[in-house]
């Protein structure tokens, strides 16, 4: 009989090993579904992970696909770090896209130097505005932000659909899609020969800034303190409400800029499919990235890789592209589940309890986390 | 002109989904576990109920298999939140994402995506009587399930154990209650009810399965639980409020005054009303003592 016993210190190799195990388990769990579609799981996974990284153009596509996930992942990570469970990045992303479309189609003659910052500010404001009510309800009246941010997601989607079916409907084709934004608003390409646009560069800069603030400034320390223990932070003189509110607003603003990046960098217009669940996937990105900006960048790239791979696999192997989401969600659940085991070590059970098999003495706070 | 009888009929149909879902979530949260997998569990109930009904021709078989699928979904949440003690926000959203993705994937393989297959829906009782012409599941939900669950939670030993592990698991454990087993039971009951809610969407209200069929109703149910302060009857009141606004917007949309108001604004109304109701009534509410906290003996 093998028992699990709390361990005092975690060896450095353990977390990477467990993540490796999580990848293998994810493969084993998803393989039957791929086989059901009539494809070889090994071939499908090669297509998901390896194929997109083989040519410069497809690497460009991976970076392009990961761009919205960088924004939403960063937005979620910042809010979660400060203990604000923003599950509404989807809605904030959508209203950011709406704002970018509005300024892009209304002021379509503005030159690029002014237009791009203008669109970004508009999107950031829209995203921050969308999170403002949940944030105020949270810090003012302790109303659960999870529920209110979640409920605003369908509302944001209805806003997009309402605009596209109503005032913004394409007058020529009658399709529910907006007019194109002015040429000044188009994000320039940053890597020649690919479709990678300014939005990717902005996301990377934001990630670097987020790292700097979180890891190297007093503001970041206050945010992390509020997230870890708001009571403890309060006793140490941190303005918990103010920190949480500003983190939430920054989070909404970043998610909103993600919407701007998707409109100005890729689609050039608003459509009902502007967000393929990027806000929700952002939660996966932030969690798997351990709520750190570096982790967010790595995981967003990996998920971009899988999405590009899933699209090509659906064409070549006839595996529906939704498999990308299945793999992503399975990987998330298996990883967070298996990482719990970090805190334990297996012990072969002896007949008598010896000093060795007893739990090592750990401060209570560490166990509770 | 608004037809009050039609309004009430539509209100009870649309409230049924929320009654089952929020009743399930009340039981779960009373045991101290937030099940954000509710949206995905409802989606699975809707999809499995539809698919099985399509293949067997019987909505009742569809409902039964949907419940079984809901139990599997709940077992996944049990493993993650109770046994492993993973963060409940992350495991719930992850479960929802996974379940929706698996359903959409299966839907694509089974139906090629796109075209609508109609299935036989549940029969309507008292067909010609206004307001009373409802599905059997609506009657069961309001007249049997809700009083039963309210009685179960407040008047029985099992209900007391659920509330005990949700308020103070350490004390419950010392008193000899198995925290894990009780939370498992609560999550499984909740999962079954959420699946019924989803199956009601496809097998009664719509008669087919479309992508995003739950449209955030699971999130509404979670809001209703807070609005109802973790009481079954409170959640039912909230469900009637949401469904009432929902039915009203459908009725208003065909009146002259509101005909030019975009349909999407009307559809968004119930969501905004729920947020407003939370803002008005949800201030400083007392959450279950062990809400979001995994329990492990030290």
């Amino acid at each position: 009989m093998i028992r699990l016993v709390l361990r005092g210190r975690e060896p450095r190799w353990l977390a990477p090993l467990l993540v490796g195990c999580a990848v293998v388990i994810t493969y084993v769990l998803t393989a039957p579904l791929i086989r059901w579609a009539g494809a070889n799981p090994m071939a499908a996974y090669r297509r998901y992970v390896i194929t997109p990284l083989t040519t410069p153009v497809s690497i460009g596509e991976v970076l392009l696909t990961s761009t919205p996930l960088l924004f939403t992942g960063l937005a979620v990570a910042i809010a979660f770090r400060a203990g604000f469970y923003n599950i509404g990045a989807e809605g904030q992303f959508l209203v950011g896209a709406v704002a970018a479309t509005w300024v892009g189609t209304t002021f379509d003659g503005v030159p690029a130097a002014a237009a791009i910052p203008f669109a970004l500010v508009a999107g950031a404001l829209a995203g921050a505005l969308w999170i403002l009510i949940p944030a105020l309800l949270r810090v003012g009246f302790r109303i659960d932000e999870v529920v209110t941010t979640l409920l605003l997601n369908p509302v944001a989607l209805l806003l997009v659909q309402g605009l596209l079916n109503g005032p913004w409907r394409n007058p020529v084709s009658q399709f529910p899609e907006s007019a194109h934004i002015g040429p000044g608003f188009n994000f320039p390409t940053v890597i020649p020969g690919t479709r990678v646009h300014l939005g990717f560069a902005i996301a990377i800069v934001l990630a670097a800034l987020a790292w700097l603030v979180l890891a190297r400034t007093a503001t970041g320390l206050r945010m992390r303190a509020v997230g870890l223990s708001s009571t403890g932070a309060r006793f140490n003189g941190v303005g918990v409400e103010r920190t949480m509110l500003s983190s939430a607003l920054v989070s909404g603003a970043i998610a909103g800029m993600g919407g701007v990046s998707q409109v100005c960098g890729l689609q050039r217009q608003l459509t009902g499919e502007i967000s393929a669940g990027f806000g929700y996937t952002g939660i996966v990105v932030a969690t798997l990235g351990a709520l750190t900006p570096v982790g967010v960048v790595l995981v967003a790239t990996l998920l971009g890789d899988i999405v590009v791979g899933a699209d090509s696999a659906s064409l070549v192997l006839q595996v529906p592209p939704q498999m990308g989401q299945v793999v992503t969600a399975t990987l998330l659940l298996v990883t967070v589940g298996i990482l719990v085991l970090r805190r334990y070590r297996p012990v072969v059970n002896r007949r008598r309890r010896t000093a060795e098999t007893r739990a090592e003495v750990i401060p209570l706070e560490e166990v509770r986390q | 002109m608004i037809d009050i009888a039609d309004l009430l009929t539509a209100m009870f149909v649309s409230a049924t989904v929320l009654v089952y879902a929020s009743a399930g979530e009340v039981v779960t949260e009373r045991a101290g576990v937030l099940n954000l997998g509710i949206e995905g569990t409802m989606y699975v109930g809707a999809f499995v109920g539809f698919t099985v009904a399509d293949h067997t021709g019987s909505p009742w078989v569809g409902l039964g298999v949907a419940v079984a699928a809901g139990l599997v979904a709940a077992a996944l949440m049990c493993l993650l939140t109770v046994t492993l003690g993973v963060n409940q926000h992350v495991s719930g959203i992850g479960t929802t994402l996974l379940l929706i993705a698996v359903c959409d994937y299966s839907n694509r393989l089974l139906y090629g995506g796109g075209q609508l297959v109609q299935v036989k829906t549940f029969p309507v009782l008292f067909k010609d009587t206004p307001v009373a012409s409802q599905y059997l599941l609506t009657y069961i939900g309001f007249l049997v399930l809700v009083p039963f669950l309210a009685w179960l939670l407040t008047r029985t030993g099992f209900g007391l154990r659920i509330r005990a592990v949700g308020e103070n698991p350490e004390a419950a454990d010392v008193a000899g209650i198995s925290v894990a087993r009780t939370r498992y039971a609560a999550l499984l009951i909740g999962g079954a009810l959420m699946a019924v809610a989803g199956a009601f969407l496809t097998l009664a209200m719509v008669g087919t399965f479309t992508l995003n069929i739950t449209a955030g109703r699971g999130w509404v149910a979670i809001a209703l639980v807070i609005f109802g302060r973790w009481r079954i009857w409170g959640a039912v009141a909230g469900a009637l409020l949401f469904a009432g606004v929902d039915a009203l917007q459908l009725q208003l949309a065909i009146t002259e005054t509101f005909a030019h108001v975009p349909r999407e604004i009307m559809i968004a109304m119930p969501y905004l009303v729920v947020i407003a109701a939370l803002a008005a009534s949800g201030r400083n509410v007392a959450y279950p003592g062990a809400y979001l906290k995994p329990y492990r003996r030290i």
Side-chain angles (χ1 to χ4, degrees):
Chain A
M1 179 69 186
I2 297 174
R3 292 190 311 134
L4 291 175
V5 177
L6 275 173
R7 62 162 89 233
R9 191 169 289 130
E10 179 195 332
R12 294 195 74 112
W13 48 265
L14 189 58
L17 177 77
L18 288 173
V19 170
C21 291
V23 171
V24 174
I25 295 174
T26 303
Y27 173 77
V28 172
L29 289 176
T30 49
L33 282 173
I34 298 173
R35 204 165 276 286
W36 182 29
N40 178 352
M42 214 57 194
Y45 262 83
R46 185 169 306 122
R47 212 151 255 289
Y48 290 158
V49 185
I50 313 280
T51 314
L53 300 177
T54 46
T55 68
V57 174
S58 61
I59 292 178
E61 287 299 298
V62 168
L63 298 182
L64 177 75
T65 314
S66 65
T67 303
L69 299 178
L70 284 170
F71 281 101
T72 54
L74 213 51
V76 174
I78 288 171
F80 276 32
R81 262 299 176 86
F84 187 91
Y85 282 91
N86 175 18
I87 319 280
E90 180 79 10
Q92 294 136 24
F93 183 95
L94 288 171
V95 295
V98 167
T101 314
W102 182 69
V103 298
T105 51
T106 316
F107 309 98
D108 54 355
V110 179
I116 290 173
F118 185 28
L120 284 169
V121 169
L125 282 178
L129 191 69
W130 205 249
I131 205 175
L132 182 65
I133 292 169
L136 286 177
L137 289 176
R138 172 70 180 83
V139 300
F141 306 123
R142 300 185 57 78
I143 290 173
D144 194 22
E145 74 278 15
V146 172
V147 176
T148 45
T149 52
L150 266 176
L151 280 174
L152 285 174
N153 290 342
V155 176
L157 186 60
L158 285 166
L159 175 71
V160 170
Q161 289 170 346
L163 287 168
L164 293 180
N165 288 325
W168 288 4
R169 182 189 286 273
N170 190 321
V172 185
S173 67
Q174 289 296 321
F175 281 128
E177 52 187 34
S178 76
H180 282 78
I181 53 173
F185 288 89
N186 289 352
F187 280 0
T189 311
V190 288
I191 302 178
T194 68
R195 296 199 289 162
V196 183
H197 52 78
L198 184 64
F200 178 76
I202 293 173
I204 295 294
V205 170
L206 285 175
L209 279 176
W211 174 81
L212 198 69
V213 170
L214 275 171
R216 290 284 182 273
T217 67
T219 314
L221 184 65
R222 277 195 287 272
M223 284 170 64
R224 287 183 284 140
V226 170
L228 286 173
S229 162
S230 62
T231 328
R234 201 185 304 277
F235 274 118
N236 282 293
V238 177
V240 172
E241 281 76 20
R242 180 196 291 224
T243 307
M244 202 179 255
L245 184 64
S246 49
S247 310
L249 292 179
V250 169
S251 167
I254 293 177
M257 281 195 259
V260 177
S261 146
Q262 204 67 357
V263 168
C264 298
L266 185 64
Q267 298 222 6
R268 317 258 189 256
Q269 61 176 172
L270 188 67
T271 64
E273 290 80 41
I274 189 83
S275 172
F278 295 132
Y280 296 108
T281 314
I283 300 166
V284 181
V285 172
T287 309
L288 287 180
L291 306 186
T292 62
V294 178
V296 164
V297 173
L298 291 177
V299 176
T301 315
L302 171 70
L303 295 196
D305 182 31
I306 293 178
V307 171
V308 171
D311 280 341
S312 84
S314 76
L315 296 175
V316 181
L317 302 171
Q318 268 77 46
V319 180
Q322 285 87 351
M323 197 62 214
Q325 269 107 49
V326 177
V327 171
T328 305
T330 313
L331 185 65
L332 168 77
L333 292 180
V334 174
T335 308
V336 294
I338 204 167
L339 279 179
V340 170
L341 298 179
R342 262 185 323 177
R343 287 182 268 141
Y344 298 87
R345 62 195 175 92
V347 166
V348 181
N349 216 8
R350 316 239 170 87
R351 189 55 49 90
R352 276 203 344 256
R353 271 166 75 102
T354 61
E356 194 192 1
T357 58
R358 253 177 242 145
E360 285 154 36
V361 181
I362 308 168
L364 200 59
E365 289 71 33
E366 264 187 55
V367 178
R368 283 273 168 74
Q369 275 173 26
Chain B
M1 198 45 216
I2 295 170
D3 185 338
I4 300 291
D6 279 1
L7 183 75
L8 290 176
T9 314
M11 177 177 85
F12 280 110
V13 172
S14 144
T16 306
V17 177
L18 294 168
V19 163
Y20 278 96
S22 55
E25 187 71 28
V26 167
V27 175
T28 312
E29 289 194 21
R30 269 301 179 90
V33 183
L34 168 71
N35 188 354
L36 282 181
I38 182 170
E39 180 84 3
T41 311
M42 289 170 69
Y43 205 80
V44 164
F47 177 69
V48 171
F50 162 76
T51 310
V52 174
D54 180 36
H55 283 83
T56 61
S58 159
W60 295 105
V61 178
L63 180 69
V65 181
V67 167
L71 291 174
V72 172
L76 176 63
M77 277 302 287
C78 288
L79 174 69
L80 288 165
T81 59
V82 181
T83 308
L84 293 170
V86 174
N87 175 313
Q88 292 179 8
H89 292 123
V90 170
S91 48
I93 292 288
T95 302
T96 290
L97 289 177
L98 174 67
L99 295 175
I100 291 181
V102 170
C103 287
D104 286 350
Y105 180 81
S106 312
N107 182 46
R108 185 67 184 271
L109 283 180
L110 289 173
Y111 296 97
Q115 94 279 34
L116 296 178
V117 180
Q118 284 285 334
V119 292
K120 204 170 133 243
T121 54
F122 293 120
V124 175
L125 305 179
F126 310 115
K127 227 179 185 109
D128 302 319
T129 330
V131 186
S133 64
Q134 298 285 350
Y135 298 99
L136 179 62
L137 278 177
T138 306
Y139 279 104
I140 294 178
F142 278 93
L143 300 180
V144 181
L145 178 80
V146 166
F148 172 73
L149 281 180
W151 171 78
L152 185 81
L153 276 177
T154 54
R155 296 276 182 272
T156 66
F158 179 62
L160 183 65
R161 286 200 290 280
I162 288 183
R163 288 183 290 140
V165 301
E167 288 297 331
N168 192 337
E170 287 86 2
D173 195 11
V174 171
I177 299 168
S178 166
V179 177
R181 205 173 297 161
T182 311
R183 286 187 171 170
Y184 263 75
L187 270 164
L188 289 172
I189 293 172
L193 293 175
M194 292 163 196
V196 174
F200 187 81
L201 277 173
T202 45
L203 297 179
M205 283 174 74
V206 186
T208 184
F209 177 80
T210 55
L211 294 184
N212 193 22
I213 189 165
T214 47
R217 282 189 182 82
W219 313 138
V220 173
I222 290 193
L224 296 181
V225 174
I226 301 174
F227 174 77
R229 311 211 165 181
W230 294 271
R231 289 186 177 83
I232 301 276
W233 288 109
V236 172
L240 287 173
L241 171 73
F242 180 93
V245 178
D246 201 24
L248 186 66
Q249 63 91 1
L250 283 174
Q251 287 267 321
L252 285 177
I254 51 173
T255 61
E256 228 166 274
T257 341
F258 288 89
H260 59 275
V261 177
R263 207 170 57 86
E264 288 81 4
I265 293 181
M266 306 294 283
I267 302 175
M269 282 301 293
Y271 296 95
L272 297 173
V273 168
V274 168
I275 294 178
L278 270 186
S281 80
R283 298 180 180 188
N284 303 313
V285 292
Y287 282 78
Y291 192 66
L292 299 179
K293 294 194 186 100
Y295 176 71
R296 188 170 290 119
R297 275 190 199 168
I298 297 167

